[in-house]
Amino acid sequence: MTLTEKLRERISRAFYKHGLLCASYPIPIILFTGLCILACCYPLLKLPLPGTGPVEFSTPVKDYFPPSPDVVSQQGDLSERPDWYVGAPVAYIQQIFVKATVSPWQKNFLAVDVFRSPLSRVFQLVEEIRNHALRDSSGVKSLEEVCLQVTDLLPGLKKLRNLLPEHGCLLLSPGNFWQNDRERFNADPDIIKTIHQHEPKTLQTSATLKDLLFGLPGKYSGVNLYNRKRVVSYTVTLGLQRYDSRFLSSLRSRLKLLHPSPNCTLREESIVHVHFKEEIGIAELIPLVTTYIILFAYIYFSTRKIDMVKSKWGLALAAVVTVLSSLLMSVGLCTLFGLTPTLNGGEIFPYLVVVIGLENVLVLTKSVVSTPVDLEVKLRIAQGLSNESWSIMKNMATELGIILIGYFTLVPAIQEFCLFAVVGLVSDFFLQMLFFTTVLSIDIRRMELADLTRRLPAETCLPPAKPTSRTQRSERQPALRPATPHTITLQPSSFRNLRLPKRLRVIYFFARTRLAQRLIMAGTVIWIGILVYTDPAGLRTYLTSQVTEQSPLGEAGLPPMAVPGGVLPAGDPKLDLSVFPSDPMQLSENQTQQREQQSLSRLEANQHTWAQGAEGRGNGQTELGTEAEVTWGAEDEEIWRKLSFRHWPSLFSYYNITLAKRYISILPAIPVTLYLNPQEALELRHPQEANRYQPFLSSRAGKLNAEAQPDQASSKLQGHRDVTLY
Amino acid sequence: AAATTWRQHLVQRSVVLFVVGAFMALVLNLLQIQRNVTLFPDEVIATLFSSAWWVPPCCGTAAAVVGLLYPCIDSHLGEPHKFKREWASVMRCIAVFVGINHASAKLDFANNIQLSLTLAALSLGLWWTFDRSRSGLGLGITIAFVATLITQFLVYNGVYQYTSPDFLYIRSWLPCIFFSGGVTVGNIGRQLAM
């Protein structure tokens, strides 16, 4: 036997065995493939929605000047500059990144003291920035001249009217929550609530108001009751219309002088220009729709060829699902391995489906249904698979070869397309062999069972005719069904000629269409849908936060939990009881306080670590009462990158400025470090906060007195109160 | 009676081919517009429906002619075309053709040689995958040649313009597009004639 024939033999045998396996354990295999698909699709959650991801380009700050609006007159390295880098940007964004902490920290402080005083400094900082003026030989230049003047908000955003600036400079800071009025801030008893009042309760993937005003994603801001490091971060975001390097450097040096950041390692070297892709217009839409129509026509014509199976629609659906999931897996896997897709997924999807094709599944189906009917289901599948094994492998090898040739054209977009196609082909093969084969075996089994059930009533109704007509019928329809000696094959149309009583007919109708089961299934699906929609457990907010990179532990998603004692760790519980005012107690039934309590309760988890002061946390806040240190690290570099992809487009769209086809330039941030002393924190404390936490102390005192010294451990057991408010 | 039904069939086929050709021309024009490849005298969408109004009907008639020619030549040569004679393959062929156009309109090629070579390879690949007949190849090349001459004539007389001309005043990829278009329309024509 030649090599090819030996190979054929081997492949046939392998496929045969695989077919037997698939037909024997259909459900586990389907579950396994489902899990594989989900696993490979997981990286997709991190991608931006297709076609909306922004494109970046950096230039150094030194000697920066905006590019001229004329394409022709651009000098120098044209090849390096992207096409969209023409003309001035819509705005320059200057962020002043503030990190503040109360230092030294007192043991008797409340959790709210962590962020109240740092936040209070924002008003002063905003005033400083607003009043900054550059005096030089050519006169006085103030902020009003360089900043971007915004007019009205969009008419539908009335509720944000007093939170976002109107008819003035675009200056955003957390102070906007209190209309930049220090008195309102001081009078606010519940800061966390004010900050969260406009957070969306439903699914929202664009930027939230809190992100807009804080300028960083929530989990980095530190405005929560579970802030271990006790460093509060926020930014003051400034929108500028013109780039005036002297003004900006004077602002930068002034702020650095007033609030120095001693160990700041932020590089302030480059400006990042972010370009937003154009929105879809009619010229793009028509070709896109046409390609999708062609795709659907292709799928329709392909699935029309399926016949001799029980459920044509079921198999067609399975075929489409196979191809779709293989493409999703391909994109997921490529993303996992670091490829950032630059092609617009929605546009190339029909071409990928056409390249991968539905031919293989049709060939498989045809080969399986043409095996002899009297064999067992397993054997039919196995034989069908092994018959087509060689041609399937040959086809796949050919297609892989062609696509690899395409890869060597060295055009980046075509290379990316070919990469997706190759991975898609391989995963399609994998899914066909596992998923589609199993579905086919289930279908064949159902078809055989249906045949059997169809034969049975015929027998009961025509017993006298059996002996005479048996041979006749079997002769007449030899090809259709090899008749076993004890049955008559009855066509379905003859069924209706039998005069069954009406109730029997109704019952048979219900049984044949399996109406009851389907209704129950539909009902269950609808119920699950309602559950997902109303989302009692907060799964959706969790998923959204993963997509938009916010902290997953938002308050809306947290179920209320029991509130055991201890908000701040103390070295020695007995010693500290008397000066321990900040024990939120579980006795309060007040709903508005429940949030703070459940959050405070979660500090429980770290109580022992803080108490022992064992771990040296990064910012040196291990021992209570020590000096806190604010460190600037690599993760603070360009923190705006951690914001959602829709952050800047939403901000500008609030003022009816569109960023489509245009770009913005984000200047390097100015770091500002604020150290607040404990007196200030004490003075700023709102009386209601002190009262709220007062009763907790007495009951805790009562509780702890009764317990033994190793109480730290037991307090750990009192549940997990997780506090992330941000 | 047989003659009238055959004639009816012929008319139906030509109408379908005409519509397909006109629609394809429209869609592909829209694809090209975004790259400013074709320069119309006036504003883009307006020109699409006013001054360059003659492009879709022209393409439609050309498609009808080509679509009827392919099966005709097949029957003349006596070789009925059997390779992938089904609607699913025809749809695939159309999709690949639109894909080739899309790629030529949207991708950034380093230079025109690369573009021409890639497109030529793709067109030949299209012919080989969906139509392996020599008659198809010959007819496709003839169509490409003739259509390029006609377009050249139009551009030379100022009726039509391209933004960055090369290869004797027109884009070098035009022959490839005409070739693949011819093969695709021929495929549709053959399937309709079956």
Side-chain angles (χ1 to χ4, degrees), chain A residues 344-656:
Chain A
N344 186 355
E347 280 181 5
I348 65 169
F349 173 74
Y351 303 127
L352 278 173
V353 174
V354 162
V355 162
I356 293 182
L358 291 170
E359 310 302 316
N360 259 346
V361 294
L362 296 175
V363 156
L364 266 180
T365 318
K366 215 177 249 341
S367 128
V368 167
V369 297
S370 58
T371 53
V373 187
D374 53 351
L375 286 180
E376 207 191 331
V377 172
K378 281 200 289 203
L379 295 177
R380 284 185 84 181
I381 300 275
Q383 259 193 14
L385 267 187
S386 74
N387 281 346
E388 287 300 326
S389 59
W390 182 240
S391 70
I392 289 180
M393 295 300 275
K394 229 178 16 162
N395 271 343
M396 210 174 84
T398 322
E399 287 204 6
L400 277 176
I402 293 181
I403 296 180
L404 280 177
I405 293 178
Y407 187 81
F408 287 116
T409 52
L410 297 176
V411 180
I414 294 188
Q415 280 184 327
E416 199 181 318
F417 179 84
C418 290
L419 202 60
F420 282 134
V422 162
V423 180
L425 258 177
V426 171
S427 50
D428 181 60
F429 175 72
F430 163 74
L431 278 181
Q432 269 168 16
M433 286 301 119
L434 288 181
F435 175 70
F436 190 75
T437 319
T438 321
V439 171
L440 193 58
S441 75
I442 294 180
D443 187 272
I444 301 279
R445 193 168 292 144
R446 280 180 61 206
M447 186 162 84
E448 293 196 348
L449 287 176
D451 282 346
L452 281 175
T453 48
R454 246 187 276 146
R455 287 181 207 167
L456 284 174
E459 278 189 335
T460 55
C461 293
L462 296 175
K466 202 172 24 174
T468 52
S469 51
R470 189 198 350 150
T471 46
Q472 276 175 316
R473 280 179 206 268
S474 54
E475 276 165 10
R476 230 182 296 149
Q477 301 140 20
L480 195 56
R481 222 164 298 256
T484 62
H486 304 288
T487 58
I488 306 178
T489 54
L490 197 62
Q491 299 301 330
S493 54
S494 348
F495 215 120
R496 289 179 217 117
N497 298 337
L498 301 172
R499 297 309 244 134
L500 288 173
K502 203 159 196 188
R503 36 189 176 81
L504 263 187
R505 264 193 279 168
V506 168
I507 291 180
Y508 281 154
F509 173 72
F510 267 83
R512 202 171 56 233
T513 56
R514 301 194 199 186
L515 212 55
Q517 287 96 310
R518 287 183 183 160
L519 279 177
I520 292 176
M521 237 177 22
T524 317
V525 167
I526 292 175
W527 181 64
I528 291 179
I530 292 179
L531 265 186
V532 168
Y533 184 70
T534 52
D535 196 32
L539 188 63
R540 253 200 322 210
T541 42
Y542 180 76
L543 286 177
T544 333
S545 64
Q546 293 286 49
V547 172
T548 56
E549 301 221 32
Q550 291 172 0
S551 164
L553 301 173
E555 289 194 289
L558 292 176
M561 287 210 253
V563 177
V567 62
L568 289 180
D572 187 359
K574 282 204 180 141
L575 190 62
D576 286 336
L577 276 177
S578 50
V579 292
F580 209 66
S582 52
D583 256 345
M585 199 38 197
Q586 62 261 38
L587 52 82
S588 169
E589 285 85 31
N590 197 344
Q591 276 295 70
T592 61
Q593 292 176 2
Q594 197 169 14
R595 244 185 342 190
E596 287 216 13
Q597 281 156 16
Q598 82 199 25
S599 28
L600 289 169
S601 69
R602 282 169 216 240
L603 283 176
E604 192 73 304
N606 278 331
Q607 212 175 354
H608 69 290
T609 58
W610 279 10
Q612 276 113 38
E615 283 114 64
R617 296 276 160 198
N619 289 350
Q621 289 154 13
T622 53
E623 285 300 320
L624 304 169
T626 52
E627 292 279 325
E629 237 189 78
V630 172
T631 55
W632 296 83
E635 71 276 1
D636 300 318
E637 189 81 42
E638 294 182 346
I639 197 139
W640 55 267
R641 278 184 202 281
K642 308 219 168 79
L643 292 166
S644 131
F645 286 103
R646 300 286 311 161
H647 186 260
W648 303 113
S650 331
L651 172 63
F652 283 93
S653 71
Y654 284 169
Y655 296 101
N656 208 16

Side-chain angles (χ1 to χ4, degrees), chain A residues 44-79:
Chain A
L44 283 179
L45 285 177
K46 300 198 198 118
L47 287 182
L49 300 173
T52 57
V55 179
E56 287 183 6
F57 174 63
S58 319
T59 54
V61 173
K62 205 164 147 48
D63 305 327
Y64 165 79
F65 55 91
S68 59
D70 216 354
V71 182
V72 179
S73 63
Q74 273 196 26
Q75 63 275 53
D77 36 281
L78 272 175
S79 55

Side-chain angles (χ1 to χ4, degrees), chain A residues 706-720:
Chain A
E707 285 159 343
Q709 179 69 330
D711 212 31
Q712 302 291 63
S714 75
S715 48
K716 247 191 302 182
L717 301 170
Q718 294 169 29
H720 229 302

Side-chain angles (χ1 to χ4, degrees), chain B residues 7-194:
Chain B
R7 206 159 290 167
Q8 267 180 347
H9 199 214
L10 193 69
V11 167
Q12 274 174 351
R13 278 160 47 199
S14 17
V15 166
V16 168
L17 285 167
F18 178 83
V19 167
V20 166
F23 187 64
M24 279 287 123
L26 211 66
V27 166
L28 299 177
N29 248 339
L30 280 174
L31 272 179
Q32 303 287 358
I33 278 169
Q34 296 149 40
R35 285 291 298 269
N36 294 329
V37 174
T38 56
L39 223 190
F40 292 96
D42 280 323
E43 231 263 62
V44 162
I45 300 286
T47 35
L48 199 65
F49 295 116
S50 56
S51 30
W53 60 270
W54 45 267
V55 170
C58 244
C59 287
T61 31
V65 166
V66 167
L68 292 175
L69 207 56
Y70 263 77
C72 196
I73 292 200
D74 274 345
S75 55
H76 261 307
L77 290 178
E79 319 171 333
H81 191 254
K82 286 274 190 311
F83 183 70
K84 290 208 178 168
R85 270 295 107 232
E86 52 193 5
W87 277 111
S89 295
V90 172
M91 287 295 143
R92 247 182 141 179
C93 184
I94 299 177
V96 173
F97 173 60
V98 176
I100 294 179
N101 265 287
H102 205 149
S104 74
K106 291 269 185 129
L107 293 181
D108 289 316
F109 287 93
N111 49 29
N112 273 326
I113 306 281
Q114 196 186 31
L115 172 67
S116 318
L117 281 179
T118 314
L119 281 183
L122 282 174
S123 314
L124 277 177
L126 180 81
W127 169 80
W128 196 75
T129 316
F130 295 105
D131 168 20
R132 276 186 212 176
S133 64
R134 288 169 305 165
S135 58
L137 183 67
L139 206 53
I141 292 182
T142 321
I143 292 170
F145 189 61
V146 168
T148 313
L149 277 179
I150 294 180
T151 323
Q152 169 76 342
F153 178 69
L154 287 176
V155 169
Y156 190 65
N157 281 358
V159 183
Y160 206 75
Q161 273 175 314
Y162 283 94
T163 42
S164 33
D166 57 50
F167 183 67
L168 310 172
Y169 283 60
I170 51 171
R171 300 280 291 184
S172 44
W173 47 257
L174 210 59
C176 298
I177 299 288
F178 280 130
F179 175 77
S180 357
V183 168
T184 312
V185 173
N187 233 357
I188 303 178
R190 278 175 176 152
Q191 185 66 27
L192 282 173
M194 267 196 58

